[in-house]
Amino acid sequence: MSSTPPPSSSPDPPTLSTILISHLSPTTILLTYNLPKISNAFTLQSYHDLRTALLWTLSLPKITTILLTGAGRHYCAGKVLIPPSAGGPTIAQEIAAGTALAEVLNESFPKILIAAVNGAAIGWGCTQLTNFDLVYASTNAFFQTPFMKLGFVPEGGSSYTCPRLMGRQHAARLLVGSERVSAKEMYVSGLVTEVIEDGGDRDVFLEKVCKIAVMIGGYSEESLRVVKELMRPGEGEVLERRKAGEKERVALQRVLSGEGASRAMEQFAGRVKGGGNGSSSKL
């Protein structure tokens, strides 16, 4: 996969610690979650970095299309789970970072968003995909939201967006059953646009999706802007999604403030550490 130098008049991309930025074409940006040692699980900094990167793209009028993927084997294995007592972020910090990102990564984001899910999409790694216009998945990809296993609740407005996109029963398989669901099954349920046959080779997969992103980025700027506006949910749907997000934040704050949640995070961290893979605990 080759990258294209940015136009000389473009503002320099921000330097971020968790995300890599590259130009695929004069109209297409690639953002890569770059914490492969922890399967690109989100830290507090990841929220800030993704928000910064998306805001930067808004300063580039010629950029119409943004592709996101994950470095290494996986797309995004949720959030790093570290209890505040062990040095992790506070509940207030988590909610503030998530809310700030949601103000940018939502139904009103004006550019075409494409996800290239190259492996695990767990928890937030899965629910974030409801914000994307197109979701391409590798044959190796899988999807899971283990909220119930940890005694948590859905987040990111997923209690509204997943049933709306996938149907109530398919969504319940994720949000209630916490099942691991394959890419082909997620295609059937409607969250995945297409499963890309790649022979298990991440580079082949990403090359194919990059070609799609560049092709879309080459379409008329005005046409892409207008179709994005036309496909935007109506005011009623937007309001319902925001209500769901607010209810989730209240519920999360309540359950995460309890002893059970801290105990679950500590136990989960212990299981991951005991597995000897060197990765942090994730959701």
Side-chain angles (χ1 to χ4, degrees):
M1 181 186 64
S2 60
S3 60
T4 300
S8 57
S9 59
S10 297
D12 290 336
T15 300
L16 307 172
S17 61
T18 69
I19 293 177
L20 298 176
I21 300 176
S22 57
H23 281 73
L24 295 177
S25 76
T27 58
T28 309
I29 294 287
L30 173 64
L31 304 179
T32 304
Y33 297 143
N34 192 35
L35 294 174
K37 290 184 178 180
I38 56 172
S39 301
N40 301 311
F42 261 48
T43 64
L44 199 64
Q45 187 62 46
S46 300
Y47 285 98
H48 299 314
D49 284 355
L50 180 55
R51 182 177 186 273
T52 297
L54 292 174
L55 288 174
W56 170 73
T57 68
L58 294 181
S59 71
L60 306 173
K62 294 297 184 182
I63 295 298
T64 62
T65 306
I66 301 163
L67 174 64
L68 283 90
T69 194
R73 294 178 55 213
H74 297 299
Y75 176 72
C76 174
K79 303 176 184 178
V80 173
L81 294 180
I82 303 175
S85 60
T90 65
I91 298 168
Q93 287 175 320
E94 286 271 10
I95 290 175
T99 301
L101 175 57
E103 290 172 353
V104 178
L105 184 64
N106 59 31
E107 64 282 334
S108 65
F109 190 79
K111 299 177 186 290
I112 303 298
L113 288 169
I114 304 174
V117 183
N118 52 300
I122 300 174
W124 160 246
C126 179
T127 61
Q128 66 176 258
L129 298 173
T130 61
N131 295 292
F132 288 73
D133 301 296
L134 296 158
V135 177
Y136 295 95
S138 163
T139 50
N140 289 331
F142 67 90
F143 305 77
Q144 188 175 23
T145 60
F147 304 127
M148 297 302 102
K149 289 185 177 181
L150 289 165
F152 296 168
V153 299
E155 43 73 63
S158 58
S159 61
Y160 175 78
T161 56
C162 286
R164 178 177 172 272
L165 281 170
M166 304 167 61
R168 183 180 177 86
Q169 305 304 326
H170 284 290
R173 185 181 184 187
L174 278 174
L175 301 180
V176 178
S178 295
E179 293 184 41
R180 173 170 165 159
V181 185
S182 71
K184 290 184 178 180
E185 290 171 310
M186 290 297 273
Y187 168 74
V188 171
S189 70
L191 185 63
V192 167
T193 305
E194 182 182 356
V195 179
I196 303 292
E197 296 295 333
D198 54 19
D201 189 322
R202 176 189 180 275
D203 291 338
V204 170
F205 167 71
L206 189 56
E207 186 74 34
K208 289 183 177 181
V209 183
C210 283
K211 287 181 179 179
I212 295 172
V214 169
M215 177 187 70
I216 292 172
Y219 297 156
S220 159
E221 296 174 32
E222 178 68 7
S223 294
L224 289 174
R225 182 187 63 79
V226 171
V227 75
K228 181 89 179 199
E229 290 180 356
L230 291 172
M231 293 178 67
R232 186 171 297 158
E235 290 184 9
E237 290 183 63
V238 171
L239 181 60
E240 288 301 315
R241 174 173 179 167
R242 291 177 181 173
K243 284 182 178 178
E246 182 57 33
K247 289 178 181 178
E248 289 169 359
R249 281 192 288 272
V250 172
L252 272 172
Q253 191 161 12
R254 184 177 67 250
V255 299
L256 292 177
S257 297
E259 292 183 4
S262 295
R263 189 161 52 248
M265 284 190 278
E266 290 168 358
Q267 291 173 349
F268 190 65
R271 289 200 301 272
V272 173
K273 185 177 180 181
N277 61 9
S279 62
S280 300
S281 55
K282 301 170 279 292
L283 170 58

